[in-house]
Amino acid sequence: MTWGSAGVATALVCWGCAGGGGSSPAAPASYDPESVSFAAELGVDLAAMEMTPSGLYLQDLTVGEGFTAQRNSLVTLHYVGYLPDGTVFDSSLGGEPIRFRLGGNEVIRGWNLGISGMKRGGVRRLVIRPSLGYRGQAKGRIPPNTTLVFDVQLLDVR
């Protein structure tokens, strides 16, 4: 993946803030990352990733420097979102980066959890189970109960 000029974020903007309460059904265990076959080109190796208590998998590809993103930080980043089969369903590359308040229910819960702790300039891979994404709801090209893979680059933290 190449990090160039950014693009408009659409798929991650809070759509019913899918990580919160909501009425969507819980994702069956078969949809969790441990049961998913990831396309080889994604380079997802769950054994090499950290699993947080929430079940989010993350891996720092580049550790940034300077300020650390934390709850209530205003963050600006580029991202590429993939389905497990390697299909890109959304990207900010080639357009404007996305900017949001971390923990402000503006994006899916997996992003709020996965971007927290990143430093400016860092690149992180996130594997987000359905319960931290869109759960049983379809969202554009994302089917219900889909594990999502994101590569995110933190451009700025305030």
Side-chain angles (χ1 to χ4, degrees):
M1 165 176 43
T2 308
W3 296 105
S5 58
V8 178
T10 56
L12 296 178
V13 175
C14 183
W15 177 70
C17 295
S23 59
S24 53
S30 63
Y31 292 105
D32 285 340
E34 300 84 6
S35 301
V36 172
S37 294
F38 295 96
E41 64 266 20
L42 292 178
V44 172
D45 179 3
L46 296 179
M49 300 179 84
E50 172 189 345
M51 187 176 81
T52 69
S54 68
L56 172 75
Y57 284 89
L58 58 88
Q59 181 178 28
D60 286 316
L61 304 176
T62 303
V63 177
E65 298 179 359
F67 294 112
T68 301
Q70 57 189 345
R71 185 170 179 78
N72 294 319
S73 295
L74 182 62
V75 296
T76 304
L77 55 93
H78 277 301
Y79 70 93
V80 179
Y82 303 92
L83 298 177
D85 68 2
T87 301
V88 174
F89 66 84
D90 198 12
S91 175
S92 67
L93 298 179
E96 293 298 317
I98 183 171
R99 177 180 287 175
F100 61 94
R101 182 131 342 253
L102 197 57
N105 289 328
E106 298 174 42
V107 295
I108 59 175
R109 186 167 175 232
W111 266 36
N112 281 314
L113 297 170
I115 293 166
S116 183
M118 286 184 73
K119 292 182 180 287
R120 182 182 296 144
V123 178
R124 184 174 279 181
R125 177 163 295 143
L126 306 174
V127 176
I128 300 175
R129 62 185 60 239
S131 62
L132 300 175
Y134 296 108
R135 300 179 182 236
Q137 309 268 337
K139 174 70 173 152
R141 298 189 321 178
I142 305 170
N145 292 317
T146 299
T147 294
L148 304 173
V149 178
F150 287 97
D151 288 333
V152 296
Q153 179 186 29
L154 188 60
L155 302 173
D156 194 23
V157 180
R158 293 180 187 203

